[in-house]
Amino acid sequence: MLSEGMASRLTFHVSGSAQWHHRPVYAEIVHRARHAGLAGASVLHAMEGFGAHLRVHEDHVSRLSEHGPCVVVIIEEKQKLDDFVASLADILRVCGVAIVDTVEIHVPRAES
């Protein structure tokens, strides 16, 4: 579990329909993150977006996980995340964009 302080955030942008060995790319990233022992990963599906090809991708809410744009977000200690990003080289070569930035973690304190 991460504590308060500085960490890194990986935001991986990919199409919801992108596949990696017959599995959605976003699912492959989440499973690899779990296997790597990272703190957690979240997949967020978007209603609409566009990327390098400037084609607007939009989808009906009932089909978001199938085709719409999505991001995988992972927050972790910088060194663990750097190692994880390096392990994703095979996926990054064929699809998606990864962004790593610095974030500050704030943990709510329980009321006494």
Side-chain angles (χ1 to χ4, degrees):
M1 182 167 163
L2 294 170
S3 58
E4 283 202 18
M6 302 307 288
S8 291
R9 173 179 51 199
L10 166 64
T11 306
F12 191 87
H13 295 259
V14 65
S15 167
S17 62
Q19 296 284 307
W20 182 256
H21 298 281
H22 309 290
R23 171 189 262 182
V25 167
Y26 63 83
E28 179 67 18
I29 295 168
V30 168
H31 287 270
R32 287 189 189 191
R34 183 172 181 258
H35 180 72
L38 301 184
S42 297
V43 177
L44 309 168
H45 293 276
M47 296 292 294
E48 186 170 281
F50 72 92
H53 299 292
L54 301 179
R55 191 174 121 227
V56 174
H57 303 275
E58 56 185 310
D59 216 339
H60 187 271
V61 70
S62 66
R63 294 178 33 168
L64 284 180
S65 63
E66 296 175 22
H67 302 287
C70 67
V71 296
V72 180
V73 179
I74 302 170
I75 299 174
E76 185 54 84
E77 297 171 5
K78 181 165 178 28
Q79 187 58 55
K80 286 183 181 180
L81 197 55
D82 288 346
D83 293 344
F84 183 66
V85 169
S87 77
L88 296 178
D90 54 342
I91 292 176
L92 289 172
R93 275 195 294 275
V94 292
C95 60
V97 173
I99 299 168
V100 179
D101 56 347
T102 302
V103 297
E104 187 172 350
I105 298 172
H106 297 275
V107 179
R109 290 183 170 66
E111 301 275 332
S112 24

